Structures are given as C-alpha cells and as structure tokens.
Amino acid sequence: MTTISPSILNCDIADLRGELTKIKAADYAHVDVMDNHFVPNLTWGLPVVEAVVNTGIIPVDAHLMIQNPDLWAPRYAEAGCASVTFHAEAAAAPLRLAKEIRRRGARVGLALNPATAIEPYIDVLGYFDMILCMTVEPGFGGQSFIDEVLPKIARTRSAIKNAGLDISIQVDGGISAKTIEKAADFGADVFVAGSAVFGAEDAAAQVELLRSLASKHTH
Ligand code: DX5
Ligand code: ZN
C-alpha cells in the first residue's frame, strides 16, 4: 500500500493547524525532531509534537533525529504519535527501545543514514514495523535525492520478503514527482516529501500526484 507522509519541516510553522489541514488527505504528517546534536539543526520537541497530535487532524509519524532516543522515543509514543522512528546510529539498545515503543501502542521505525548498512539488522527486522532509508543526510529539507541509496532499498525489500515479514520501507529526503517512481521501483512504499508538498501551489493536489505516481510502481 502506498503511504504518503508529508514533512512539515518547512511549512508555515506560525500556522501549524492550517498547514496540517492542507495535507489531511495524506496518511500521516511527518514531524522531524532535531536536537542540534545528532544533526546540526534544531526544530521542536515533545510539547510541540504533542500539540500536533492533539489537533487530531492527521496521525503523526515522528522522525527523531536526536541523541539518546533510548530516553526520549518512548515519550513520543506515549504522547500519541502513530509511528515513532529513531536512528540506528543514535540508539544504545535498539531492540529494547523498539519493544518499549510498541508496548506504548505506536508503530516503530528504524532509520538508517545514507552510509549506514542494512545488513547488521537483517536478523532483527521483526522488531520493527518500518525501516527508514534516508535518501539525504539528515538535518535539512530541500536537499537532492542520493541515488546511491537505491540498492540498499532493494536489499532491504528482499530481506523483508525472505523473512516473510510485513514491514514498510520509508524514504525521506529529495522525494518529488521526479524521484518518487524510482524509489518505489526499488521497493519503498512510504514516501516523505517536504519541499515538494509545501513548496507546491496546491499541497493537497501534490499529495495526490505523488500517491498516483508511486502507486504505479509499488509492488
Ligand atoms: C531531513 C528530514 C526530512 C525533510 C525532507 O533531515 O528528515 O523529513 O523534511 O525534506 P525534503 O522533502 O525537502 O527533502
Ligand atoms: Zn524526516
């Protein structure tokens, strides 16, 4: 199933409610939490994410680009995020953390930076509901899609298939009408798009365009 999760990173943050309403036909709002340590940028934390959840406009897909997710990620699940994704590079005990997040009723995602391999996680895929293959270095919106990540997406898809599991593969960074089809072809099924959606004249129409392009290629 093709899933579209627009990133609100570069939306009009003075009008979060209005911006969330524009994308309510999407599946999730992708909310990027950055702590200025794991990545060189700072966004918002738990109170703001909780406020977004509490608008009830759209389910929240939290992407935690933070140090010490072992401490913080369960709190995002408790706050009512539908999905909580933490970085493999930051977690001290990723399997324990995955269990803690699920126990609090959220889906759990494992994010891999472009140069982080999937292979160390092949035997533990079952702990996760989603693998996020970053298609840019995390930290900023508006960067170009890194094509070299495509083979990892394909290897992740075949490992999931071989294990007989039902796990989503999310791509995040540089996703637009120009790049979404190749990401889908290689096996992604959850698509984050920030500047493509909020930079478009009609955000809702852009969500539908991305969905229809990806659907033709999702297998
Ligand atoms: C980058 C963030 C992304 C970002 C994507 O670190 O994780 O979610 O908002 O922005 P675009 O779609 O503009 O590359
Ligand atoms: Zn993100």
Side-chain angles (χ1 to χ4, degrees):
M1 246 271 286
T2 302
T3 299
I4 306 291
S5 187
S7 163
I8 62 168
L9 181 61
N10 288 323
C11 78
D12 176 4
I13 55 173
D15 179 25
L16 272 181
R17 205 179 278 275
E19 297 290 72
L20 292 166
T21 303
K22 282 188 193 165
I23 56 160
K24 68 175 192 302
D27 301 284
Y28 296 96
H30 180 88
V31 179
D32 290 299
V33 177
M34 305 186 187
D35 66 353
N36 199 34
H37 291 276
F38 181 71
V39 288
N41 197 4
L42 183 67
T43 56
W44 35 60
L46 196 52
V48 173
V49 176
E50 199 163 10
V52 170
V53 169
N54 290 341
T55 64
I57 295 170
I58 181 168
V60 169
D61 162 33
H63 176 196
L64 307 182
M65 285 159 276
I66 59 171
Q67 281 182 350
N68 204 356
D70 300 73
L71 173 66
W72 288 101
R75 300 192 191 174
Y76 286 84
E78 268 161 23
C81 293
S83 174
V84 177
T85 297
F86 63 85
H87 270 261
E89 303 83 3
L95 305 186
R96 183 169 63 216
L97 181 53
K99 278 192 191 166
E100 292 290 328
I101 292 169
R102 275 186 175 166
R103 206 157 60 79
R104 288 163 171 80
R107 286 166 59 82
V108 58
L110 179 72
L112 307 175
N113 281 342
T116 301
I118 185 63
E119 279 69 22
Y121 302 97
I122 295 286
D123 295 328
V124 294
L125 287 172
Y127 282 77
F128 302 97
D129 301 299
M130 185 169 83
I131 303 296
L132 165 51
C133 293
M134 289 300 300
T135 42
V136 297
E137 291 285 11
F140 303 93
Q143 304 181 75
S144 307
F145 185 92
I146 300 174
D147 278 309
E148 286 78 2
V149 177
L150 289 167
K152 179 167 68 184
I153 298 170
R155 290 198 306 279
T156 304
R157 179 53 71 202
S158 69
I160 291 169
K161 214 174 255 170
N162 290 343
L165 295 165
D166 179 18
I167 301 175
S168 309
I169 300 179
Q170 185 175 66
V171 280
D172 180 9
I175 298 295
S176 68
K178 285 204 177 76
T179 56
I180 195 165
E181 292 171 276
K182 60 185 165 188
D185 262 334
F186 278 78
D189 56 356
V190 183
F191 305 88
V192 176
S195 42
V197 169
F198 284 99
E201 210 147 295
D202 183 340
Q206 186 68 17
V207 167
E208 286 326 309
L209 172 66
L210 293 173
R211 195 192 292 287
S212 74
L213 289 172
S215 299
K216 288 188 212 129
H217 296 260
T218 309
H219 32 179

